[in-house]
């Protein structure tokens, strides 16, 4: 079983925390109870291989993950695209996955792997939107959390980043060890104008299901803090690509 960190109310990255697992369950890291505590007498039907933990109510209110499959509350399609034209000042993202399954990219991804010239015609709408927004003085920026050895997809993404930055985006790279040190979450999200959070939900294969929109100030501030740390310690694209040529 593997865990994916969701969030913590500890302030320092320790207990208490919430994780998602790769088998559709949730793990809670909390405080052990004293076996002599009356709580053990109040628990119903606890088996020998089970235990109970104590966590703040706030932890679950803020970070208990929602089931993405079939969640009609997820924003997608034109409604999701609109987020990138209606923000007023900043759109910042944290990227944590090592692979994304985007239908429009598949052909050009294959071209990249085969060493061919990559056709970026499919990319034009996004790049046009980015030029329009950044020319208007808005900021679009993202930090990509990467492992020591880049996956084929991350190398492909690095190849595309040349076009992203030419359109005005600020793209930076952060190694996974540093991300873990600052307890950054293992999930992707966009933060618009430091007020509207869009947590991205994917299938296991990396297909985007949609965005969960959150405006609760406490949750937004937590994610803004993560972004601040990520951007402060991340390496700019121009420096990173010199050390990690995509081809």
């Amino acid at each position: 079983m593997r865990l994916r960190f969701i969030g913590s109310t500890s302030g320092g990255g320790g207990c208490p925390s919430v994780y998602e697992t790769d088998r559709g369950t949730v793990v809670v890291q909390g405080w052990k109870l004293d076996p002599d505590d009356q709580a053990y007498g109040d628990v119903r039907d606890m088996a020998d291989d089970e235990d109970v933990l104590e966590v703040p109510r706030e932890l679950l209110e803020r970070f208990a993950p929602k089931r993405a499959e079939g969640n009609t509350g997820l924003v997608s399609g034109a409604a999701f695209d609109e987020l990138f034209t209606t923000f007023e000042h900043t759109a910042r993202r944290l990227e944590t996955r090592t692979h994304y399954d985007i239908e429009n990219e598949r052909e050009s991804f294959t071209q990249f792997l085969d060493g061919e010239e990559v056709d970026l015609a499919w990319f034009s709408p996004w790049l046009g939107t980015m030029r329009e927004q950044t020319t208007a003085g808005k900021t679009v920026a993202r930090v990509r959390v990467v492992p020591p050895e880049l996956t084929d997809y991350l190398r492909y993404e690095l190849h595309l980043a040349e076009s992203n930055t030419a359109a005005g985006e600020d793209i930076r790279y952060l190694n996974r060890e540093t991300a873990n040190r600052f307890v950054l979450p293992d999930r992707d999200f966009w933060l618009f104008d430091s007020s509207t959070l869009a947590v991205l939900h994917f299938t296991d294969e990396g297909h985007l299901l949609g965005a969960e929109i959150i405006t609760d100030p406490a949750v937004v501030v937590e994610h803004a803090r993560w972004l601040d740390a990520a951007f402060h310690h991340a390496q700019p694209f121009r420096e990173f690509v010199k050390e990690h040529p995509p081809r």
Side-chain angles (χ1 to χ4, degrees):
M1 180 173 68
R2 298 296 301 275
L3 301 184
R4 187 165 66 92
F5 177 74
I6 298 297
S8 172
T9 55
S10 71
C15 170
S17 300
V18 171
Y19 305 82
E20 281 185 301
T21 76
D22 57 3
R23 59 190 190 192
T25 58
V26 177
V27 170
V28 176
Q29 177 183 351
W31 299 293
K32 290 183 178 180
L33 299 184
D34 186 333
D36 295 328
D37 195 293
Q38 178 58 41
Y40 277 93
D42 296 332
V43 173
R44 301 182 182 182
D45 304 320
M46 187 165 65
D48 291 340
D49 61 348
E50 297 175 344
D51 206 342
V52 290
L53 299 173
E54 183 179 9
V55 299
R57 181 183 298 273
E58 180 189 12
L59 179 73
L60 301 182
E61 291 174 344
R62 291 171 58 183
F63 298 116
K66 297 177 175 58
R67 185 182 300 276
E69 298 287 352
N71 189 336
T72 58
L74 296 182
V75 171
S76 60
F80 179 67
D81 294 340
E82 188 179 1
L83 294 170
F84 298 94
T85 59
T86 57
F87 74 96
E88 295 183 1
H89 308 292
T90 61
R92 299 193 297 163
R93 178 175 176 175
L94 185 70
E95 293 184 15
T96 64
R97 299 182 64 91
T98 58
H99 181 82
Y100 298 86
D101 180 21
I102 302 174
E103 185 175 356
N104 291 345
E105 290 184 348
R106 290 173 186 167
E107 183 177 353
S108 64
F109 183 33
T110 300
Q111 292 170 343
F112 173 79
L113 294 179
D114 291 342
E116 302 173 2
E117 182 178 353
V118 177
D119 183 1
L120 297 181
W122 65 271
F123 208 16
S124 295
W126 172 264
L127 298 177
T129 298
M130 292 301 97
R131 289 191 190 94
E132 181 180 347
Q133 300 306 312
T134 57
T135 299
K138 302 179 186 180
T139 296
V140 181
R142 62 179 96 194
V143 170
R144 290 172 171 163
V145 178
V146 295
E149 293 293 330
L150 298 185
T151 63
D152 286 342
Y153 184 85
L154 290 177
R155 292 191 300 106
Y156 166 70
E157 218 176 31
L158 185 59
H159 177 77
L160 297 185
E162 185 72 42
S163 298
N164 291 93
T165 56
E169 290 190 64
D170 175 4
I171 298 184
R172 307 183 192 187
Y173 290 82
L174 183 68
N175 66 70
R176 169 54 63 185
E177 181 181 356
T178 302
N180 290 344
R181 180 154 49 91
F182 289 96
V183 204
L184 301 187
D186 288 335
R187 59 175 172 176
D188 286 31
F189 62 86
W190 281 96
L191 182 59
F192 299 94
D193 296 326
S194 298
S195 60
T196 300
L197 178 67
V199 177
L200 306 184
H201 291 262
F202 297 88
T203 64
D204 291 340
E205 295 74 24
H207 177 69
L208 178 64
L209 294 168
E212 176 189 355
I213 305 302
I214 301 172
T215 57
D216 179 88
V219 180
V220 168
V221 167
E222 184 80 10
H223 286 73
R225 182 180 67 81
W226 283 328
L227 280 173
D228 287 344
F231 275 93
H232 178 73
H233 295 281
Q235 189 175 18
F237 163 72
R238 293 296 176 194
E239 295 180 10
F240 185 83
V241 75
K242 289 179 182 179
E243 299 174 4
H244 304 81
R247 281 181 168 172

